[in-house]
Amino acid sequence: MNTVSALGTDVSSPSRSMQLALAALLGLFVVGFLGFSHMDVVHNAAHDYRHSMAFPCH
C-alpha cells in the first residue's frame, strides 16, 4: 500500500484519493450550483466571493 507522510502522519492512497474527490465535488458545488443560482441572495454572495478571490466571472 502506498502512503504519503505529511506532518508526521501517514495517509493511504485510497484516503488521499477520497479527500481529493470530496474537495473537487465541493468546488463544483460552489461554482456550479451557487454561482449559477437563480436566487439573487445566493448568486450575489457567490459573485462577491469570486471577486474577492480574483476569480474571473464576467
Side-chain angles (χ1 to χ4, degrees):
M1 179 182 298
N2 295 334
T3 59
V4 176
S5 181
L7 299 175
T9 61
D10 292 331
V11 179
S12 65
S13 292
S15 175
R16 178 90 170 147
S17 298
M18 181 61 73
Q19 291 173 5
L20 291 172
L22 289 175
L25 286 174
L26 178 62
L28 286 172
F29 171 75
V30 169
V31 172
F33 178 74
L34 298 178
F36 295 106
S37 176
H38 293 286
M39 294 186 299
D40 286 335
V41 173
V42 175
H43 175 81
N44 289 338
H47 185 257
D48 292 343
Y49 178 73
R50 285 193 304 257
H51 277 289
S52 71
M53 299 304 290
F55 186 82
C57 58
H58 53 85

